[in-house]
Amino acid sequence: MGNIFNRTNGRAWKLRQRSMKLWPEWTKKLNTKTNPIQIKTPLIKLANSEDELARMKLLVKQKENLGLKIVTKDLHTLSKREWPFNHYGGLLSKNDGFLNPITLQKSLKELLNKKEVQQIPESVISIERRSSQPGQRWGIHLTDGSFHKLDSIIICCSLGAESLLKQLDYYIKQEPILGQAMELELKSDSYDWSNWPAVLISNGINLIPRSNNRLWLGATLEPSLKPNNDLLQELKNLKGNAPCWLLDSKIINQWYGLRGRPVNRPAPILEKLEPGLIVAAGHYRNGILLAPATAEWIGNKINFNGKEYF
Ligand SMILES: Cc1cc2nc3c(=O)[nH]c(=O)nc-3n(C[C@H](O)[C@H](O)[C@H](O)COP(=O)(O)OP(=O)(O)OC[C@H]3O[C@@H](n4cnc5c(N)ncnc54)[C@H](O)[C@@H]3O)c2cc1C
């Protein structure tokens, strides 16, 4: 789902903290029989140097209430399926972990349908300012030629936000950072993932155990719109450091997506630009983690007439 302890600016840290508080409430509300939503914990981030370990120790001291603790390099967890970058130990976050993004999307769609929220499967071509009077301050033109008058609009279409905002004379730049990930099947090595964390972050790589002989490995960071297969192979062989069990594995699924990274400013972009004009984009690598705090921020910026959005 994410990683609470990346170094980040103060505002993003606050959003992370708030999201971590809200996620248990969200999972309770989104969980259904058809789409079971569960956060699998914990998450371990291994340190890459003594310096990084020292910073992690400081964080544990400063943020006692976050459920963080230091794990040592003789971590029993990683002993069976050996991991090459475990030289210093690292940090364990007991509340952080993995949430299946596909199930999450299905569950959110189910909720939208239940709440009878109108969904229009068209893209927005342009936005126009209409009047300063509340009620129909904004107009949007869609790809099917339709036009809709609205009181408020939330521009939350990641990289698509830039061109829509430009038409309104706002220049908020983002760059695409492509990410590739894969699902791997291990040839039987007679071990399983028992004692492994739900997410292992090491050397910039996220490893997520799935079933006994399957895992997800991700993700590349490519400033590009097209995936580079060499970088996917580099990820799989850990730049030449992969242990045998990983080298022998087979890619059974692979996918990629574009992350919107704000240029010359920290992620994410959350701004109320004018009455009824809100932008929530540029979440870069943490859009899922930050979804609850982002939604709460948006809810506070627009008038829901006291209605709850769940
Ligand atoms: C491989 C990979 C791994 C990731 N792992 C994590 C992780 O572990 N944790 C985490 O928190 N985040 C992770 N992320 C990042 C996360 O996916 C993003 O931060 C998040 O998806 C951003 O959400 P969003 O809704 O702002 O944008 P998006 O998910 O990019 O959605 C934007 C949507 O807007 C639509 N759109 C664009 N233009 C228009 C238009 N003009 N009109 C209508 N619709 C439009 C697009 O079609 C798209 O559907 C990962 C990303 C990748 C690629």
Side-chain angles (χ1 to χ4, degrees), residues 193-211:
W193 297 110
S194 49
N195 295 326
W196 270 66
V199 180
L200 178 75
I201 301 182
S202 173
N203 249 23
I205 293 160
N206 291 2
L207 187 153
I208 300 164
R210 302 295 287 152
S211 56

Side-chain angles (χ1 to χ4, degrees), residues 3 28 114 141 163 214 248-249 251 261 294 298 308:
N3 165 15
K28 235 187 241 169
K114 200 168 131 198
H141 294 271
S163 62
R214 289 202 179 174
D248 290 348
S249 65
I251 300 179
R261 181 166 74 177
T294 298
I298 293 169
E308 284 196 28

Side-chain angles (χ1 to χ4, degrees), residues 1-2 123-124 157-158 160 179 219 257 259 283-289:
M1 181 173 75
S123 291
V124 179
C157 52
S158 189
R259 318 168 181 99
H283 281 81
Y284 188 38
R285 298 181 78 182
N286 287 314
I288 299 169
L289 173 66

